[in-house]
Amino acid sequence: MRLTKFARFAPLAVLAAGALAVPTAAQAAGSATAVCKGSEHSCTATFSLAGGASRKKLSVELPGTSELRLISVNVTPSYVDGAYNLYNPNYSLGGSLFTSTLDAVKSIPKGAKLILKFGTPERMLNCGGIRTGVSSLIVETTGNGATRAFSCPQAAGVAKTWLKRFNAYQDPEKFSYRGVAYKCRVVPFPSNINCTGGSTLVSFGGPTGH
């Protein structure tokens, strides 16, 4: 099943600009609210995309009066990517409420989800992934204090190493990169590969062979 793509979403730069074009209405405007599940440093909110949307207001309740900010936007299944448009982001109530507006094509099937990942900038970085051969590359700290493994170049190296070993039919579950040992595992979509090492978690979307 192929969906018409009316806007390719760039999670941070485009959303911050709030300048994406509004598509033809898919259904009546409405609203939906989700509680961001996780901790005060990292949480995830999920919304249904089934049946599309037109000027639908999304609200995310963030934990406490937080400093959490939107880090990444993903969808499942993967072919829905590009068939939606998220714009007009806003934080209110001392940072504890995030709102945005959603448009999505009407043909999006039942079970499709929009996944918003929030984190604190000092503990989580959105590293993109376009040049690494993987998607949705994020690195976050799992311990206290600064760590040399907490950087986008390091995270990109981990993703590239994992992908190289996977494509070469080598074990991608355990390896080292720049002196840091990593253990990787497959988790549910969209960031289906999680690698831990150096008091960090590197997550990204990659092939699994299934």
Side-chain angles (χ1 to χ4, degrees):
M1 180 179 181
R2 184 177 180 181
L3 300 175
T4 301
K5 294 187 176 183
F6 56 79
R8 188 71 179 178
F9 183 70
L12 295 183
V14 177
L15 181 61
L20 289 176
V22 179
T24 302
Q27 63 180 26
S31 63
T33 300
V35 175
C36 201
K37 297 180 179 180
S39 69
E40 61 182 5
H41 301 298
S42 173
C43 68
T44 302
T46 304
F47 295 92
S48 173
L49 286 173
S54 177
R55 302 182 302 279
K56 185 175 184 178
K57 182 179 179 180
L58 303 184
S59 299
V60 180
E61 297 178 357
L62 301 171
T65 305
S66 70
E67 296 181 356
L68 292 171
R69 291 295 180 265
L70 184 63
I71 297 295
S72 70
V73 178
N74 287 293
V75 292
T76 181
S78 59
Y79 61 73
V80 177
D81 185 31
Y84 69 96
N85 187 357
L86 196 62
Y87 55 99
N88 291 340
N90 185 59
Y91 295 89
S92 59
L93 299 181
S96 63
L97 182 66
F98 171 84
T99 58
S100 189
T101 304
L102 172 69
D103 288 312
V105 299
K106 189 175 182 179
S107 56
I108 294 179
K110 183 179 179 180
K113 302 291 184 181
L114 175 70
I115 304 164
L116 308 183
K117 180 81 170 181
F118 294 82
T120 53
E122 66 272 15
R123 296 182 64 94
M124 183 178 294
L125 300 173
N126 184 337
C127 303
I130 296 174
R131 297 182 181 178
T132 66
V134 301
S135 62
S136 307
L137 179 62
I138 293 175
V139 58
E140 57 185 293
T141 61
T142 57
N144 296 320
T147 169
R148 64 187 178 90
F150 181 59
S151 72
C152 283
Q154 180 74 12
V158 172
K160 288 178 180 179
T161 300
W162 183 94
L163 187 61
K164 182 178 180 180
R165 294 178 67 87
F166 178 85
N167 289 335
Y169 299 98
Q170 298 175 351
D171 181 10
E173 295 183 358
K174 294 182 180 180
F175 57 85
S176 293
Y177 181 74
R178 291 185 177 177
V180 180
Y182 289 89
K183 293 183 179 180
C184 303
R185 63 190 181 97
V186 178
V187 298
F189 187 86
S191 297
N192 60 324
I193 309 298
N194 281 1
C195 298
T196 56
S199 295
T200 65
L201 168 64
V202 178
S203 60
F204 54 91
T208 62
H210 299 301

